[in-house]
Amino acid sequence: MTDSSPQVQPMTTPPQLGSRVISLGESEERVMSPVFVEPVQMHCTGDKVVKATAKSTRRLTKIAGLALFVIIFLFSFLGWPSNVIEDETIHKKILAVLFLTGILMVALEDVLRLDKSAIMLVLSSVMWTYHAASRHPTHSLEGHETFDLELGKGLEDVGKVILFLLPAMCLVESIDHMKGFAVVTRFIVRCTREKPGRLMPIVCVLAFFLSSVIDNLTATIVCIKILQRVVPHNQDWRHSCGGLVVVAANAGGAWSPIGDVTTTMLWVQQKISTAGIVVWLFLPSFVAGVVPLFGIWWQAKRCAPKHEGEAPPINPPVASRNSKIVLSVGILCILMVPVVKMVTGLPPYLGMMMALGVFWLVSEIGDLASGEEEDEETGRLDEVVPVKEGVPAALRNVDLSSLLFFTGVLMGVSALESAEVLANYSEFMRRVTKGSDMLLAVLIGVSSAVVDNVPLVQASIEMFDDNMDSPLWQLLSAGTGGSMLAVGSVAGVTLMGLEKVGFLWYMKRISPWAALGFILGLVTYQLQRMIASGTLS
């Protein structure tokens, strides 16, 4: 008999918004209520919005910077509008804006994902194209001659530095390629094996005194090569040491007439004497170079990334007889550059070219690129990978990207100098400081962090006629403000090229301490003057 009564269906509630209907076999833990679903969805959506906004901002910044270059180039190419091309005031402002835009894009290199070398090459080309348009070299003979003289002077100034930098990098790379730095690396590894923190003060003192003899650029290259051998596993620590090398090398080059380009310029122009600059600037330079050591050291330890394990120990490299000879010959060739300059007046770039050539010949005649290494302790000969090509093989490892970047920076600065932008800026600083040598040195030092101090010092030489060893010239020599930004000195640019150090990283980790050293160095100089004049007696 069949039950004909109606079946009672179980009462069910409609699913709420945000939940889902589940089957009987599913666990209750998988039921997601609206309270928990909405925050997760909102969080994911928020991340997407932030990423999209960052991507759009990066793209717009990149387009805006490059669009400015394209627009100015088109104006120069078409010669229109005429007031933008012909008006001298607008001309100077546009060149300044172009250069500052390029520096900003270099600073944001990691964000924009544009190589700094490409940026500076395009920037310098656009600046010179725009400057050429105002001279009309294709329509006016006078304009052609004027522009030819301006461009020739710019090429001469840039060429001197590049022709010095290229053989210097080749020579240091050759010494490194032939294991010449094994002696120094072995000593540093032994000193820092138990206490790795010793590395930073060692390279600081090395860069400071080395730069006073072989100039700050070569000293920076040598120290960076040594750091790459000593701490290949710890990039953050190596970058911090490299930033300190830049500060110490710039400070060390300030108290020697052959240690920095600007100091050499003042020395050649008889604005400073050898005895005067050493006596008055050694202590201020030492303060400017060594005081940042403590701040950079502390910050490097505080900001160091947390590694899961200890870094692998570095075995001291083999120091063979050939390594010692290579290092000795290389250092003698480098020291030959300032000596020949002082005795014969030979420009440093020709001296460095001769130094590379002499080292090349000696290495080939003496067969220094040998594949046999003898340990200095055991006397045992170890077979290693033979280096048959010597210097030619080392030349393949020279970083041309950093050379091109520095070329673009210098060419851009030379365009500003040709348009008298820097000269006008020097006159403006003189009016603002109202004759105060200290304030003028501070302004030029701060300005040299953005624009190379070479044209600023050259403009000062032409503007002022103070006596030899006056406080003005000594303060211009002591101004190590270029260390405050990575693009402010050739040493900083070299660090960016060889170690791929970012502009923003340098500004965050090195700039504050470099600025502190710069200020304390000038204070030390002023105290010396006050003591000498009897003010503090």
Side-chain angles (χ1 to χ4, degrees):
M1 182 175 177
T2 320
D3 189 4
S4 59
S5 61
Q7 298 291 330
V8 179
Q9 299 295 332
M11 184 178 295
T12 59
T13 58
Q16 296 181 359
L17 181 64
S19 64
R20 64 186 180 89
V21 180
I22 59 174
S23 62
L24 294 176
E26 286 187 294
S27 171
E28 293 182 359
E29 295 180 355
R30 298 181 61 184
V31 179
M32 190 173 296
S33 66
V35 178
F36 296 99
V37 172
E38 272 189 50
V40 173
Q41 290 178 342
M42 291 176 62
H43 177 69
C44 295
T45 305
D47 284 346
K48 291 180 180 179
V49 170
V50 170
K51 290 180 180 179
T53 304
K55 185 176 181 180
S56 300
T57 304
R58 179 172 63 245
R59 184 176 300 171
L60 288 175
T61 305
K62 187 188 306 184
I63 293 174
L66 296 179
L68 177 63
F69 295 166
V70 172
I71 290 172
I72 300 302
F73 178 80
L74 290 176
F75 285 170
S76 308
F77 186 78
L78 300 174
W80 177 90
S82 59
N83 62 326
V84 174
I85 304 297
E86 305 293 343
D87 189 279
E88 185 175 351
T89 303
I90 296 178
H91 183 79
K92 293 177 180 179
K93 289 181 179 179
I94 288 180
L95 283 176
V97 169
L98 279 173
F99 187 79
L100 292 177
T101 302
I103 293 297
L104 179 62
M105 294 181 70
V106 169
L108 300 176
E109 177 192 17
D110 296 334
V111 178
L112 299 180
R113 299 174 185 174
L114 291 175
D115 191 271
K116 58 181 177 292
S117 300
I119 294 172
M120 293 311 299
L121 289 176
V122 173
L123 171 67
S124 59
S125 302
V126 172
M127 291 178 68
W128 274 106
T129 304
Y130 177 65
H131 185 59
S134 65
R135 299 292 187 260
H136 303 289
T138 58
H139 300 90
S140 169
L141 179 60
E142 182 181 358
H144 174 77
E145 292 177 351
T146 302
F147 178 71
D148 192 52
L149 288 174
E150 292 175 342
L151 184 58
K153 184 179 183 302
L155 288 175
E156 180 182 0
D157 295 338
V158 175
K160 288 179 181 178
V161 180
I162 298 301
L163 284 178
F164 179 89
L165 179 61
L166 179 59
M169 292 179 66
C170 293
L171 179 54
V172 174
E173 186 67 43
S174 300
I175 297 174
D176 182 56
H177 183 74
M178 298 180 190
K179 309 281 191 294
F181 292 125
V183 180
V184 182
T185 305
R186 191 181 186 93
F187 170 76
I188 295 178
V189 168
R190 286 179 172 178
C191 291
T192 59
R193 176 175 290 171
E194 301 296 331
K195 297 182 178 179
R198 292 178 177 175
L199 176 64
M200 195 168 284
I202 288 176
V203 296
C204 176
V205 174
L206 177 64
F208 180 81
F209 286 101
L210 197 60
S211 64
S212 65
V213 180
I214 62 174
D215 79 78
N216 54 354
L217 170 59
T218 313
T220 302
I221 298 174
V222 170
C223 290
I224 290 175
K225 283 296 179 182
I226 293 175
L227 286 172
Q228 289 174 344
R229 293 294 185 185
V230 176
V231 281
H233 53 274
N234 194 336
Q235 186 185 66
D236 187 79
W237 182 252
R238 190 172 69 248
H239 284 181
S240 297
C241 292
L244 179 62
V245 164
V246 172
V247 176
N250 287 334
W255 64 274
S256 169
I258 57 175
D260 185 79
V261 176
T262 54
T263 310
T264 304
M265 287 166 51
L266 293 168
W267 181 51
V268 171
Q269 296 287 340
Q270 297 184 348
K271 301 298 183 181
I272 56 175
S273 63
T274 303
I277 191 174
V278 173
V279 170
W280 285 104
L281 295 186
F282 176 78
L283 184 57
S285 299
F286 187 79
V287 170
V290 174
V291 167
L293 162 66
F294 302 100
I296 296 174
W297 196 358
W298 168 78
Q299 190 168 18
K301 288 182 174 295
R302 184 176 66 89
C303 299
K306 303 298 181 182
H307 299 286
E308 294 182 358
E310 293 293 329
I314 302 297
N315 295 322
V318 174
S320 67
R321 180 180 62 87
N322 277 6
S323 298
K324 298 175 182 177
I325 296 176
V326 165
L327 180 62
S328 301
V329 173
I331 294 299
L332 286 175
C333 289
I334 293 174
L335 292 177
M336 178 179 68
V337 178
V339 173
V340 171
K341 173 178 172 48
M342 288 187 292
V343 175
T344 67
L346 188 71
Y349 65 92
L350 285 176
M352 189 57 73
M353 291 170 63
M354 182 171 63
L356 175 61
V358 170
F359 178 83
W360 197 333
L361 291 176
V362 171
S363 65
E364 289 192 346
I365 294 173
D367 194 22
L368 299 180
S370 173
E372 293 184 342
E373 300 286 357
E374 179 181 347
D375 192 293
E376 63 178 2
E377 295 180 352
T378 63
R380 180 174 58 86
L381 290 176
D382 294 329
E383 290 292 334
V384 297
V385 179
V387 185
K388 298 181 180 180
E389 299 182 63
V391 175
L395 299 183
R396 302 191 187 103
N397 299 325
V398 175
D399 186 9
L400 295 180
S401 176
S402 59
L403 278 174
L404 293 174
F405 170 62
F406 191 58
T407 302
V409 172
L410 284 183
M411 288 299 293
V413 172
S414 65
L416 295 177
E417 185 179 11
S418 297
E420 299 182 351
V421 175
L422 299 181
N424 291 348
Y425 184 63
S426 297
E427 294 177 1
F428 167 76
M429 288 190 296
R430 192 58 165 174
R431 291 195 302 270
V432 170
T433 56
K434 298 179 180 179
S436 172
D437 295 332
M438 177 61 70
L439 289 179
L440 180 62
V442 170
L443 282 179
I444 290 182
V446 173
S447 302
S448 66
V450 180
V451 182
D452 188 74
N453 60 345
V454 172
L456 293 176
V457 172
Q458 181 61 41
S460 300
I461 292 175
E462 297 174 354
M463 287 172 55
F464 313 127
D465 55 356
D466 294 41
N467 297 327
M468 177 183 286
D469 287 332
S470 70
L472 172 63
W473 304 128
Q474 290 178 351
L475 285 169
L476 289 180
S477 302
T480 57
S483 301
M484 289 189 285
L485 290 180
V487 296
S489 67
V490 60
V493 173
T494 302
L495 174 68
M496 293 178 70
L498 296 181
E499 273 294 314
K500 310 305 179 187
V501 172
F503 183 94
L504 295 179
W505 183 94
Y506 187 98
M507 188 165 61
K508 179 182 178 181
R509 299 281 292 274
I510 307 297
S511 296
W513 308 111
L516 177 63
F518 171 67
I519 294 172
L520 293 180
L522 293 180
V523 170
T524 304
Y525 176 84
Q526 194 67 10
L527 288 175
Q528 285 184 161
R529 280 288 178 183
M530 295 172 68
I531 293 173
S533 63
T535 306
L536 297 181
S537 59

